[in-house]
Amino acid sequence: MRPMFARLGLSVLLLMVASSAFAITREERDKRETEVRAAETAFAKSMADRNATAFRSLIAEEAVFFGGKTVQHGKPEVVAAWKRFFDGPAAPFSWAPAEVEVLASGTLGMTSGPVYDPNGQRIGTFNSIWQKQKDGSWQIIFDKGCPPCECGK
């Protein structure tokens, strides 16, 4: 029994050392947060510009988007579900990142912020998870919106 606990303890210690070895500096994390903010801003701009190609380029192949009572799995499903939002001359909604965070490893980022209707009325909040790709770009892997918080009421 003792050798098993010793191996388990050694494994945990090695994992802790390995995970800290992959941590990036605060300066690098700030840089990556700027990159994630820019990716989210470009994502929102793709809707404003009615540019479905730009929108598609920011979605990861394994993306999961939660849309009301449905969930889209994979880039083709997400793009198909969002196609209707690109029909017509004006965007049906807009958004902008208010919060951006990046893991200490620098591989995943989170964005969140308000969603507005065409009249500028807040209609929701978005929450997105971004993954750093091998080429250095960021793509969205999870996206979920929700109604605006009315916590003070």
Side-chain angles (χ1 to χ4, degrees):
M1 193 65 102
R2 283 185 175 216
M4 182 178 81
F5 286 118
R7 283 192 299 259
L8 180 60
L10 181 59
S11 296
V12 169
L13 179 63
L14 287 174
L15 279 172
M16 289 171 51
V17 169
S19 65
S20 66
F22 293 111
I24 58 176
T25 65
R26 181 66 233 180
E27 182 178 293
E28 181 62 24
R29 194 163 63 200
D30 288 346
K31 177 180 174 261
R32 293 192 187 188
E33 285 177 3
T34 298
E35 292 171 356
V36 172
R37 182 178 299 279
E40 183 67 64
T41 301
F43 196 52
K45 187 175 183 324
S46 73
M47 177 66 71
D49 292 349
R50 322 307 291 133
N51 188 340
T53 302
F55 175 85
R56 180 181 176 81
S57 73
L58 292 162
I59 300 171
E61 290 300 323
E62 293 184 287
V64 176
F65 276 48
F66 299 85
K69 297 179 182 180
T70 64
V71 178
Q72 295 87 44
H73 294 270
K75 189 178 217 171
E77 280 187 28
V78 171
V79 170
W82 278 65
K83 182 187 178 309
R84 64 190 170 102
F85 298 129
F86 286 91
D87 292 341
F93 53 87
S94 62
W95 68 94
E99 296 178 67
V100 179
E101 290 291 334
V102 172
L103 290 180
S105 66
T107 58
L108 292 175
M110 183 279 308
T111 54
S112 183
V115 179
Y116 300 101
D117 71 11
N119 299 318
Q121 185 76 10
R122 186 169 183 176
I123 57 171
T125 301
F126 76 88
N127 299 284
S128 303
I129 305 295
W130 294 81
Q131 182 180 50
K132 190 161 183 74
Q133 304 300 299
K134 290 179 183 175
D135 68 1
S137 67
W138 290 88
Q139 289 186 327
I140 193 166
I141 58 170
F142 288 101
D143 184 81
K144 186 170 186 172
C146 60
C149 177
E150 297 183 21
C151 303
K153 293 184 177 183

